[in-house]
């Protein structure tokens, strides 16, 4: 037996993943917190059999960075052959999430492994040459000159192999690393598929449009006026015949992609017998699917999706208000699993026992006014920290940011020898230690008066969006640029997702719910506002209502739009 050797390798893809460097007085607020980087989304489509009005519905809330200006922009595009409304992003053509006159669609992330890291042997006599099929090949080199105010111009040389951009050159060991990325393939035009989706009139036309969606991977859902609901996973998926893609491979020609799976052959469903289909970045692929080499290996925790399935399949007829409540639902399934394991335990410290007693009659809802919610979330955070400390070798902890909560819950609900000779006793010791540390953290953070430990407060769960230039302006302007703070509820594992850190960094800024039987009943959210100009009345006029889980109408008919128009701008060409 040989003890495994853990080591910290050079970060060979740091440059690929990093954003551009910024001046010290420019702040990206969401980078200043220790946050769970798994950003997810929810969507579902429901047919008329379980809706009170008999219509099909589409609901979508993509969870992305909460920022000012907002990531999304809502628009209504009307032209010959076009009448589509919804949200997109400023750099992406068309409407990504919305509806036209025939149907509605939405998206969430579907795991697809579209990247590989290739490792090359370098020519000792020329580090710009790499070995491919037993021959030295030249890297392509592009020189860029970047002017920098107050300093000399910055010169950069960008190197490329046949597989993609070179991210790291190890001149000592004569190795180079490059990333091959499927959605960067020439001609892929990843987001142009939205233009076809925007004009789809039927499920068949929508699915045909999906076949052009060469993006990293999405769950596209569809609901139409004819009563159809469907799901088509999209994204460009390379076929690897002799390797998995899970680890770096030599770039010498032995490990090449064998083309791509046609997108329409990725998992899909039309009119499922359950009368609905919901996704929340968890694995929803049927076990009968046989092209597993073309999809990803990493999925989100299942709890948001399980809660959506639970509510939609309760057996009662649903309506628009139910859709809103589900999108903003703060019930924590992890809490419902973990708290019953905690409550039978006892603590000698009276303050810790009092904190535990707060959880005994709790409804597992992460409500902003709840003290129990603060106690539970502090415990959940500490539980993951303790799991990393106890179960990950010290030498490897720097490689792992956090253990997935699903894994930790599986361990504590079915304790095994990792907890010692008596697994249940060891498990209880682990839970007690985590809870004790959590209460100590709360006492330090909020004081010893447990009555003041409400979840939704500035020192606990809140949202304070800081403009990227917030620190570059004076305090008065900063207040105009920034939005918040305001109290929030929920967490990263509730359908009303508000991230796994105390200052909400990600979640559902944009939301949309569409009733295919009455397009004027559609509702949405998009904080802090539509405008990116801090002087505009529309810069953060939507922030307060969003933070209070309220919606605004997304009118579609001309008369409804005209009835609420704030202003009209008419552009005329010069004669």
């Amino acid at each position: 037996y040989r003890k495994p050797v853990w080591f910290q390798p050079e970060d060979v893809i740091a440059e690929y993943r990093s954003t551009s460097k910024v001046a010290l007085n420019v702040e990206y607020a969401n980078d200043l917190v220790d946050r769970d980087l798994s950003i997810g989304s929810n969507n579902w489509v429901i047919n008329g059999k379980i809706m009170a009005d008999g219509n099909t519905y589409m609901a979508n809330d993509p969870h992305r960075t909460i920022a000012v200006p907002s990531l999304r922009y809502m628009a209504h595009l009307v032209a010959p052959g076009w009448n589509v409304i919804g949200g997109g992003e400023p750099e992406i053509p068309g409407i990504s999430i919305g509806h036209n006159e025939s149907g509605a669609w939405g998206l969430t992330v579907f795991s697809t492994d579209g990247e590989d890291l290739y490792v090359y042997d370098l020519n000792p006599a020329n580090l710009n040459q790499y070995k491919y099929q037993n021959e030295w090949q030249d890297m392509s080199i592009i020189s860029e000159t970047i002017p920098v105010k107050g300093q000399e111009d910055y010169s950069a040389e960008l190197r490329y192999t046949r597989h993609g951009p070179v991210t790291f050159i190890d001149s000592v060991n004569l190795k180079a690393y490059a990333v091959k990325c499927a959605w960067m393939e020439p001609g892929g035009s990843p987001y142009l598929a939205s233009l076809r989706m925007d004009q789809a009139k039927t499920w068949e036309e929508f699915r045909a449009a999906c076949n052009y969606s060469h993006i990293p991977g999405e769950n596209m859902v569809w609901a139409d006026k004819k009563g159809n609901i469907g799901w088509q996973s999209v994204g460009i998926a390379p076929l690897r015949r002799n390797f998995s893609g899970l680890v770096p491979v030599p770039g010498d020609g032995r490990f090449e992609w064998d083309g791509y799976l046609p997108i329409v052959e990725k998992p899909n469903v039309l009119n499922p017998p359950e009368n609905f289909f919901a996704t929340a970045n968890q694995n929803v692929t049927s076990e009968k699917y046989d092209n597993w080499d073309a999809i990803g290996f990493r999925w989100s925790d299942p709890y948001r999706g399980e809660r959506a399935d639970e509510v939609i399949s309760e057996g009662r007829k649903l309506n628009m208000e139910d859709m809103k409540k589900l999108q903003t639902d703060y019930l924590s399934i992890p809490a419902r699993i973990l708290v019953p394991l905690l409550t039978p335990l006892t603590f000698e410290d009276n303050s810790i026992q009092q904190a535990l007693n707060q959880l005994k009659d709790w409804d597992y809802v992460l409500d902003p006014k709840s003290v129990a919610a603060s106690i539970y979330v502090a415990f959940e955070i500490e539980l993951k920290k303790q799991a990393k400390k106890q179960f990950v070798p010290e030498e490897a902890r720097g490689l792992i940011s956090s253990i997935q909560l699903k894994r930790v819950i599986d361990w504590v609900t079915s304790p095994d020898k990792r907890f010692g000779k008596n697994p249940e006793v060891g498990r209880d010791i682990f839970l007690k230690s985590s809870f004790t540390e959590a209460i100590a953290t709360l006492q330090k953070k909020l004081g010893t008066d447990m009555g003041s430990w409400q979840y939704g407060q500035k020192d606990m769960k809140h949202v304070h969006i800081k403009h990227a230039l917030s620190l570059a302006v004076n305090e008065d302007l900063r207040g105009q640029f920034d939005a918040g703070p305001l109290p929030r509820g929920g967490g990263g594992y509730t359908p009303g997702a508000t991230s796994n850190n105390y200052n909400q960094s990600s979640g559902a800024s944009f939301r949309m719910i569409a009733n295919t039987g009455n397009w004027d009943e559609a509702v949405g959210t998009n904080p802090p506002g539509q405008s990116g100009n801090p002087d505009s009345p529309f810069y953060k006029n939507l922030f307060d209502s969003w933070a209070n889980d309220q919606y605004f109408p997304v009118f579609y008919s001309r008369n409804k739009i005209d009835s609420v128009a704030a202003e009209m701008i008419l552009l005329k060409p010069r004669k």
Side-chain angles (χ1 to χ4, degrees):
Y1 172 76
R2 296 181 63 188
K3 183 179 179 180
V5 178
W6 296 89
F7 65 97
Q8 174 68 62
E10 296 275 7
D11 192 346
V12 297
I13 54 174
E15 292 299 318
Y16 178 72
R17 288 179 171 167
S18 68
T19 56
S20 60
K21 302 296 188 293
V22 296
L24 291 178
N25 64 336
V26 176
E27 177 180 6
Y28 283 94
N30 292 325
D31 292 335
L32 301 181
V33 290
D34 181 17
R35 66 189 181 111
D36 186 341
L37 296 178
S38 58
I39 298 178
S41 306
N42 306 321
N43 67 17
W44 56 83
V45 282
I46 305 178
N47 72 21
K49 294 180 180 179
I50 55 177
M51 296 303 300
D53 59 11
N55 299 325
T56 58
Y57 278 67
M58 186 286 299
N60 193 189
D61 53 295
H63 307 161
R64 296 283 297 276
T65 297
I66 303 296
V68 52
S70 175
L71 171 71
R72 303 286 179 181
Y73 188 83
M74 302 199 81
H76 189 173
L77 308 178
V78 180
W82 284 76
N83 191 357
V84 58
I85 192 170
E89 298 177 30
E91 78 279 11
I92 296 176
I95 298 298
S96 304
I97 302 162
H99 71 81
N100 57 24
E101 294 167 311
S102 303
W105 58 92
L107 56 85
T108 68
V109 169
F110 178 87
S111 179
T112 301
D113 185 4
E115 291 182 352
D116 276 319
L117 184 67
Y118 285 91
V119 188
Y120 309 91
D121 290 325
L122 292 179
N123 185 349
N126 183 355
L127 297 185
N128 289 324
Q129 289 186 332
Y130 63 99
K131 185 171 285 188
Y132 184 79
Q133 294 185 347
N134 294 318
E135 295 182 357
W136 296 119
Q137 297 204 357
D138 293 327
M139 297 180 187
S140 299
I141 302 176
I142 298 175
S143 297
E144 296 279 4
T145 299
I146 304 168
V148 181
K149 183 178 180 180
Q151 300 179 34
E152 294 182 2
D153 292 350
Y154 178 80
S155 297
E157 286 192 337
L158 309 177
R159 292 172 170 80
Y160 298 84
T161 69
R162 64 190 301 113
H163 296 116
V166 175
T167 60
F168 189 81
I169 291 181
D170 183 347
S171 58
V172 175
N173 296 301
L174 298 177
K175 300 290 183 183
Y177 300 81
V179 177
K180 183 169 185 178
C181 182
W183 56 87
M184 292 173 63
E185 288 283 77
S189 301
Y191 291 95
L192 284 180
S194 288
L195 301 181
R196 292 174 180 264
M197 296 177 190
D198 291 354
Q199 299 179 78
K201 295 180 174 61
T202 64
W203 162 250
E204 291 73 22
E205 289 184 8
F206 180 76
R207 193 159 174 251
C210 287
N211 205 36
Y212 292 87
S213 195
H214 299 146
I215 59 179
E218 303 279 13
N219 293 289
M220 300 301 305
V221 293
W222 167 269
D224 62 34
K225 293 181 72 67
K226 295 181 179 180
N228 296 305
I229 59 171
W231 162 62
Q232 175 67 59
S233 60
V234 304
I236 186 166
L239 297 172
R240 302 173 178 89
R241 301 302 187 188
N242 63 332
F243 67 112
S244 68
L246 286 174
V247 296
V249 292
D252 56 13
R254 289 177 291 159
F255 301 94
E256 300 294 340
W257 295 349
D258 188 18
Y260 300 96
L261 182 74
I263 289 174
V264 290
E265 293 183 18
K266 294 184 77 172
N268 61 85
V269 70
L270 174 65
N271 295 326
E274 297 81 7
N275 299 314
F276 76 94
F277 196 88
T279 79
N281 316 116
Q282 82 280 37
N283 188 359
V284 292
T285 305
S286 168
E287 293 181 358
K288 297 179 180 179
Y289 185 70
D290 57 6
N291 281 314
W292 287 96
D293 58 333
I295 64 176
F297 298 90
R298 297 180 61 192
W299 305 93
S300 293
D301 288 277
Y303 307 116
R304 286 182 288 109
E306 289 176 356
R307 177 60 176 163
D309 291 346
E310 179 179 271
V311 171
I312 296 172
S313 60
E314 283 179 347
R316 61 187 179 86
K317 296 286 186 176
L318 304 171
N319 56 34
M320 177 64 81
E321 289 305 310
D322 294 315
M323 300 296 96
K324 294 178 185 178
K325 289 178 181 177
L326 181 52
Q327 277 193 338
T328 58
D329 184 275
Y330 291 155
L331 186 138
S332 169
I333 286 182
R336 201 165 64 187
I337 299 170
L338 291 169
V339 168
L341 296 177
L342 265 177
T343 50
L345 305 178
T346 57
F347 295 85
E348 293 182 5
D349 187 301
N350 186 54
S351 63
I352 300 175
Q353 186 63 47
Q354 284 183 348
L356 181 62
N357 292 340
Q358 291 280 339
L359 299 179
K360 291 187 176 179
D361 295 319
W362 181 43
D363 59 5
Y364 313 119
V365 175
L366 302 182
D367 185 271
K369 297 180 180 179
S370 171
V371 170
S374 290
I375 294 170
Y376 169 75
V377 170
F379 164 69
E380 183 182 87
I381 292 171
E382 191 61 40
L383 191 72
K384 290 191 289 184
K385 288 181 181 178
Q386 294 283 337
K388 179 180 175 179
K389 182 178 179 180
Q390 185 164 328
F391 302 125
V392 177
E394 184 177 357
E395 300 90 337
R397 288 174 197 159
L399 304 174
I400 300 173
S401 60
S402 178
I403 298 179
Q404 199 165 13
L405 184 61
K406 173 64 164 61
R407 179 63 59 87
V408 180
I409 287 179
D410 287 345
W411 291 343
V412 298
T413 53
S414 300
D416 57 18
K417 61 183 180 181
R418 81 183 68 246
F419 292 104
K421 292 182 180 180
N422 191 326
E424 290 192 4
V425 172
R427 184 270 314 276
D428 290 348
I429 292 172
F430 172 69
L431 293 175
K432 290 183 71 172
S433 173
S434 300
F435 193 74
T436 298
E437 289 296 322
I439 301 309
T441 299
L442 285 174
Q443 290 172 339
K444 184 178 180 179
K445 189 180 184 71
L446 303 177
T448 57
D449 179 10
M450 201 174 299
S452 66
W453 288 5
Q454 284 82 12
Y455 186 49
Q457 56 176 293
K458 188 177 185 300
D459 292 323
M460 288 293 288
K461 196 66 175 185
H462 66 284
V463 59
H464 188 189
I465 312 177
K466 296 184 179 180
H467 194 283
L469 299 177
S470 181
L471 293 186
V473 299
N474 62 41
E475 190 172 344
D476 289 340
L477 282 176
R478 193 174 303 149
Q480 187 176 346
F481 277 35
D482 298 348
L486 287 178
R488 296 291 280 145
Y493 307 112
T494 58
T498 56
S499 76
N500 284 324
N501 52 341
Y502 288 134
N503 182 15
Q504 181 180 354
S505 60
S506 65
S509 59
F510 177 89
R511 294 190 183 97
M512 191 166 187
I513 307 172
N515 173 3
T516 67
N518 185 345
W519 295 126
D520 282 331
E521 284 191 2
V523 295
T525 62
N526 191 35
Q530 281 280 90
S531 175
N533 178 5
D535 287 330
S536 168
F538 304 110
Y539 177 69
K540 51 184 177 182
N541 63 310
L542 303 175
F543 181 66
D544 286 16
S545 60
W546 166 80
N548 287 290
D549 295 330
Q550 298 170 352
Y551 292 74
F552 57 79
V554 182
F555 291 140
Y556 188 65
S557 64
R558 183 59 186 263
N559 64 316
K560 282 285 191 180
I561 293 168
D562 287 345
S563 70
V564 294
E567 61 179 301
M568 181 179 293
I569 301 172
L570 183 62
L571 304 178
K572 293 183 177 181
R574 290 182 178 179
K575 295 183 179 179

